[in-house]
Amino acid sequence: MLLELAKVETFYGASQALFGVDLHMAEGEVVALMGRNGMGKTTTIRSIFGLSPLRHGTIRFDGKDISATKPYRIARLGLGLVPEGRRCFANLTVAENLLASARRGVWTIKEVNALFPRLAERSGQYANTLSGGEQQMLAVGRALMTNPQLIVLDEATEGLAPVIRQEIWKAIATLKSRGQSILVVDKTLSELLPVADRCVILERGSTVWTGMPQELTAELQDRYLGV
Ligand code: ATP
């Protein structure tokens, strides 16, 4: 198993956000982490990366218990995060942003530029002059430059124009076809479900359903994801 969360409970101060998250994924799988607003998706991701330490339960990555591991060490173990809100270095160029996160592996600037031709065209531009969509592509590119065994995308297409969203989904499909393991949170089911191998649904901080996209009936969608 590449990633395994068992009975994870996480708090913000005294306030409990996760009450028992179970999630597992195998190498090469694309898993969609789903649930309505505030159900604990981002907190689950923060827990995986050691950003919100868990109080109970365990998280194992590639066989190692990382439940109490520091964030910088977790990143070095081969976990790449594309956080909500596309964080890049505003005063570095596109190429510098990519180089700043580079670790040895198949993903190089050349490969990232091939995945996102828009970034290639803007290589010398400062990140703060990019459009929101381009910054999001750069955030994905930066995570790929770490050559992660698992890449985690938190709302990577949120608020972006449809044409840009399509470019990002196309890139995700390309990653999947290359066997990249991906954990992805996204609100647009029509775009998310076609790339997902499996879905994990959270409700009020607990895992309530796991299954394949084909098994996610309209009734289940209404019960767990409807507004
Ligand atoms: P969204 O889709 O809106 O991002 P989410 O499923 O990612 O939602 P979380 O952001 O993980 O949900 O929130 C889970 C719970 O934790 C919510 O009840 C939220 O109010 C609470 N929470 C999130 N961040 C904090 C924080 N910094 N301090 C206190 N409580 C928080």
Side-chain angles (χ1 to χ4, degrees):
M1 216 33 79
L2 181 62
L3 180 70
E4 220 169 346
L5 280 72
K7 300 181 179 154
V8 167
E9 296 186 30
T10 302
F11 290 67
Y12 290 101
S15 152
Q16 186 162 7
L18 301 185
F19 292 83
V21 171
D22 295 305
L23 181 160
H24 63 86
M25 58 187 292
E27 184 100 50
E29 253 194 319
V30 177
V31 172
L33 180 61
M34 307 167 84
R36 293 190 190 89
N37 287 350
M39 292 302 171
K41 304 178 295 295
T42 297
T43 306
T44 298
I45 290 172
R46 291 184 55 87
S47 302
I48 294 169
F49 283 85
L51 298 167
S52 292
L54 37 155
R55 206 171 285 181
H56 298 290
T58 50
I59 301 182
R60 298 179 77 80
F61 176 65
D62 204 17
K64 287 181 269 306
D65 188 335
I66 58 165
S67 313
T69 306
K70 294 265 177 289
Y72 74 95
R73 287 192 180 273
I74 290 175
R76 282 192 203 153
L77 290 174
L79 273 147
L81 175 62
V82 182
E84 228 176 340
R86 57 185 93 100
R87 300 188 208 272
C88 305
F89 295 116
N91 299 317
L92 295 186
T93 64
V94 168
E96 287 166 349
N97 262 282
L98 293 174
L99 281 173
S101 68
R103 287 175 60 209
R104 286 166 69 92
V106 292
W107 286 100
T108 57
I109 288 204
K110 195 163 158 248
E111 287 291 319
V112 170
N113 282 343
L115 187 69
F116 292 120
R118 268 170 201 270
L119 289 185
E121 290 162 19
R122 288 159 181 74
S123 195
Q125 236 173 279
Y126 286 101
N128 59 6
T129 67
L130 299 178
S131 71
E134 290 157 1
Q135 287 185 35
Q136 189 59 266
M137 290 174 192
L138 182 55
V140 175
R142 279 173 46 79
L144 289 172
M145 289 293 286
T146 69
N147 280 285
Q149 213 178 333
L150 168 64
I151 188 166
V152 179
L153 300 149
D154 193 358
E155 312 250 17
T157 68
E158 178 154 52
L160 302 179
V163 50
I164 302 287
R165 304 170 69 88
Q166 286 323 311
E167 285 181 41
I168 290 177
W169 284 114
K170 193 172 143 223
I172 293 171
T174 302
L175 297 179
K176 176 180 171 153
S177 72
R178 294 196 198 173
Q180 174 73 52
S181 311
I182 309 172
L183 179 64
V184 53
V185 170
D186 203 279
K187 291 212 171 71
T188 311
L189 295 193
S190 59
E191 294 171 342
L192 175 61
L193 293 179
V195 305
D197 296 313
R198 219 150 41 73
C199 306
V200 173
I201 299 182
L202 303 183
E203 187 163 68
R204 278 182 240 108
S206 300
T207 301
V208 289
W209 189 84
T210 298
M212 298 205 289
Q214 314 80 280
E215 299 169 323
L216 187 59
T217 59
E219 194 255 317
L220 286 166
Q221 286 188 31
D222 191 50
R223 187 190 315 165
Y224 294 128
L225 309 169
V227 280

